[in-house]
Amino acid sequence: MEGEVQGHYEASSEKKPQISGIEDLAYGSLSGMMGKFVEYPFDTVKVRLQTSETQVFSGTLDCLKQTWKHEGFHGFYRGLTSPLIGAMAENAIAFYAYNRIQSAIHAFSPSPKQSPLTLNQLFVCGALSGAICAFVISPVELIKCKLQVENVQGYGSSGISKPKFTGPFSVLTHLLKTQGLRGLYKGILPTVARETVGVGFWFGTYELVCRQLLQVQGKAQSKSELGATSIVLAGGCAGIGYNITSYPIDVVKSFIQTDDVRDAAAKQRPGILSTIKTIYARGGVPAFYRGLGITLLRAFPANAAMFMTYEYLSRLSVALR
């Protein structure tokens, strides 16, 4: 795979200007914000399908109809504040860590500094950045999932009951009061597993598609020369890669993080193995992929928006120097 780049995507042996770590953080943050606005309604439906009994929703369309019927447009964006902040922080750290880890590999590698990293090395860079991100986003996703699922418990009755939580801050204060800081990291192990696998494939798929497009186009020598259509395709495929590989882990994570909302009377909270058994009992292997359809539907445009935002802000920054 000739003509591909390290770090910030430059392919030729000529040394190119690279964006700083501060710019990485800023552009990653903005790309996360763009992606979250696009994907959040789909994410709400996904979490509700993952965690609800099959008699609550017959499928994706039924979940969409019932959410609109009971909560209207606002229902699809319930709990957005926390994950919006989390997405900005996650993407900022993901891009920053990804590029810094690449630089570290180059520093300790006997290969020439301008030599492109292999796809395996890039996957490792992505996986390590994902593991770091997990500790940032785990509390955010915990709050998000509780807010997304809470209202569902009243569906099918004469009317939905008054929510226990009024918003992200309400969930946060409740968790700190009842469980302390430890309560904010409920589900951290499956979150780390999901992000390590998922982000590894996220960046890995993006790099792979970009390399293939560079080979097909021939004239383009670096990612900075790929057009918007190519970036959209590579970014969308990256989102598909992330979700297909990490989805079963995400189901387990969501189930663990919402167990007290779904069954407040339960005396014992399930662990990872018992959660896997419970999910399997609900419908076998397909139960671990419930809601995958709408997740993939949102993954392409959301991740295309994220990579487009990051790439073009990076290019603009370099062009203005």
Side-chain angles (χ1 to χ4, degrees), residues 277-320:
K277 291 178 181 178
T278 299
I279 295 172
Y280 186 81
R282 284 186 167 192
V285 173
F288 290 92
Y289 291 91
R290 192 162 187 245
L292 177 61
I294 195 166
T295 299
L296 296 181
L297 183 64
R298 66 102 196 247
F300 196 97
N303 287 276
M306 279 191 274
F307 277 101
M308 275 283 288
T309 301
Y310 180 83
E311 287 287 352
Y312 276 88
L313 284 173
S314 299
R315 294 179 189 185
L316 178 63
S317 176
V318 171
L320 290 176

Side-chain angles (χ1 to χ4, degrees), residues 49-123:
L49 285 171
Q50 284 180 336
T51 58
S52 64
E53 298 286 351
T54 53
Q55 62 264 31
V56 178
F57 302 119
S58 60
T60 299
L61 288 179
D62 185 46
C63 185
L64 287 167
K65 290 178 182 177
Q66 289 204 52
T67 298
W68 180 265
K69 174 183 176 181
H70 291 286
E71 301 175 68
F73 180 78
H74 178 266
F76 293 101
Y77 281 93
R78 179 170 167 77
L80 173 63
T81 305
S82 172
L84 182 62
I85 295 172
M88 295 173 70
E90 176 187 11
N91 269 46
I93 293 171
F95 279 103
Y96 178 87
Y98 180 64
N99 289 314
R100 303 286 85 72
I101 293 170
Q102 287 185 65
S103 297
I105 290 177
H106 274 289
F108 291 98
S109 173
S111 303
K113 300 304 180 191
Q114 294 299 319
S115 297
L117 296 182
T118 66
L119 286 174
N120 286 340
Q121 289 174 318
L122 292 171
F123 175 86

Side-chain angles (χ1 to χ4, degrees), residues 1-5 119 122 203-220 222-223 226 230-231 233-234 237:
M1 301 199 180
E2 301 292 332
E4 186 48 18
V5 280
L119 286 174
L122 292 171
F203 279 118
T205 302
Y206 181 73
E207 299 284 358
L208 173 61
V209 174
C210 283
R211 290 186 177 192
Q212 295 303 314
L213 289 172
L214 285 170
Q215 288 186 342
V216 170
Q217 295 180 14
K219 294 181 180 180
S222 72
K223 275 190 229 166
L226 289 175
S230 296
I231 298 302
L233 178 60
C237 288

Side-chain angles (χ1 to χ4, degrees), residues 227-245:
T229 302
S230 296
I231 298 302
V232 165
L233 178 60
C237 288
I240 299 295
Y242 173 95
N243 284 285
I244 286 180
T245 56

Side-chain angles (χ1 to χ4, degrees), residues 186 255-256 259-260 262 266 268-276 278:
K186 185 177 183 180
F255 204 92
I256 289 174
D259 68 322
D260 57 334
R262 292 178 290 101
Q268 187 174 3
R269 298 304 172 192
I272 294 175
L273 289 179
S274 60
T275 296
I276 292 173
T278 299

Side-chain angles (χ1 to χ4, degrees), residues 83-238:
L84 182 62
I85 295 172
M88 295 173 70
E90 176 187 11
N91 269 46
I93 293 171
F95 279 103
Y96 178 87
Y98 180 64
N99 289 314
R100 303 286 85 72
I101 293 170
Q102 287 185 65
S103 297
I105 290 177
H106 274 289
F108 291 98
S109 173
S111 303
K113 300 304 180 191
Q114 294 299 319
S115 297
L117 296 182
T118 66
L119 286 174
N120 286 340
Q121 289 174 318
L122 292 171
F123 175 86
V124 171
C125 292
L128 291 175
S129 67
I132 294 170
C133 287
F135 289 91
V136 175
I137 66 171
S138 186
V140 172
E141 292 212 349
L142 177 66
I143 293 171
K144 170 188 74 78
C145 288
K146 288 184 184 300
L147 288 170
Q148 287 175 321
V149 171
E150 184 187 25
N151 279 14
V152 175
Q153 304 311 304
Y155 283 15
S157 61
S158 57
I160 60 174
S161 57
K162 184 178 179 180
K164 177 181 178 180
F165 303 118
T166 58
F169 186 72
S170 174
V171 180
L172 177 63
T173 54
H174 172 77
L175 289 172
L176 289 174
K177 182 179 179 180
T178 59
Q179 302 175 42
L181 286 174
R182 183 179 180 181
L184 295 178
Y185 282 91
K186 185 177 183 180
I188 183 61
L189 290 181
T191 302
V192 170
R194 184 198 68 182
E195 291 301 290
T196 300
V197 173
V199 178
F201 276 97
W202 192 57
F203 279 118
T205 302
Y206 181 73
E207 299 284 358
L208 173 61
V209 174
C210 283
R211 290 186 177 192
Q212 295 303 314
L213 289 172
L214 285 170
Q215 288 186 342
V216 170
Q217 295 180 14
K219 294 181 180 180
Q221 297 298 310
S222 72
K223 275 190 229 166
S224 62
E225 296 177 55
L226 289 175
T229 302
S230 296
I231 298 302
V232 165
L233 178 60
C237 288

